[in-house]
Amino acid sequence: NFIHSQDASHMSMVISKFNGDFGAVHDSFSTHANQVDELCELTKDVFIDMYDKDNYFDTIEERLGATAEQPTLGDLTINDVKKSDYFFA
């Protein structure tokens, strides 16, 4: 449920910042062909804003008020999402 709430928050923030026509089915975003590039860029920007933390697992613990053994952090540079052709397809 937590992951679904994150996905819904991401979509909500994208919708609030997008000035074009927006369609959604579950976690899929859509718009007219002439607005796809703008929507893709905004989707990446909002994702980066949400998850640009030193350790997002700390944020999860704080929000849930619980502690758990955290997975080992990888070496993803979140801003590299901007270069991804298939981040959200």
Side-chain angles (χ1 to χ4, degrees), residues 3 7 13-14 17 19 25 28 30-32 35-36 38 41 43-45 49-51 54 60 72-73 77 79 83:
I3 297 302
D7 289 345
M13 288 189 274
V14 169
K17 294 180 180 188
N19 293 319
V25 176
S28 297
S30 66
T31 191
H32 298 291
Q35 297 172 315
V36 167
E38 179 186 352
E41 185 174 332
T43 300
K44 291 176 185 180
D45 289 342
D49 288 345
M50 283 180 70
Y51 297 105
D54 289 333
I60 294 170
T72 303
L73 293 178
T77 301
N79 287 303
K83 300 180 223 170

Side-chain angles (χ1 to χ4, degrees), residues 33-84:
N34 65 334
Q35 297 172 315
V36 167
D37 290 340
E38 179 186 352
L39 181 59
C40 283
E41 185 174 332
L42 180 60
T43 300
K44 291 176 185 180
D45 289 342
V46 170
F47 184 87
I48 290 167
D49 288 345
M50 283 180 70
Y51 297 105
D52 189 12
K53 313 282 187 232
D54 289 333
N55 181 351
Y56 194 73
F57 296 111
D58 289 339
T59 303
I60 294 170
E61 285 186 349
E62 289 170 15
R63 288 183 180 174
L64 295 178
T67 58
E69 184 178 343
Q70 295 184 5
T72 303
L73 293 178
D75 59 359
L76 173 69
T77 301
I78 195 71
N79 287 303
D80 285 349
V81 164
K82 290 287 277 184
K83 300 180 223 170
S84 174

Side-chain angles (χ1 to χ4, degrees), residues 6-26:
Q6 293 297 105
D7 289 345
S9 294
H10 178 243
M11 180 182 278
S12 175
M13 288 189 274
V14 169
I15 291 169
S16 71
K17 294 180 180 188
F18 187 58
N19 293 319
D21 295 319
F22 188 91
V25 176
H26 186 59

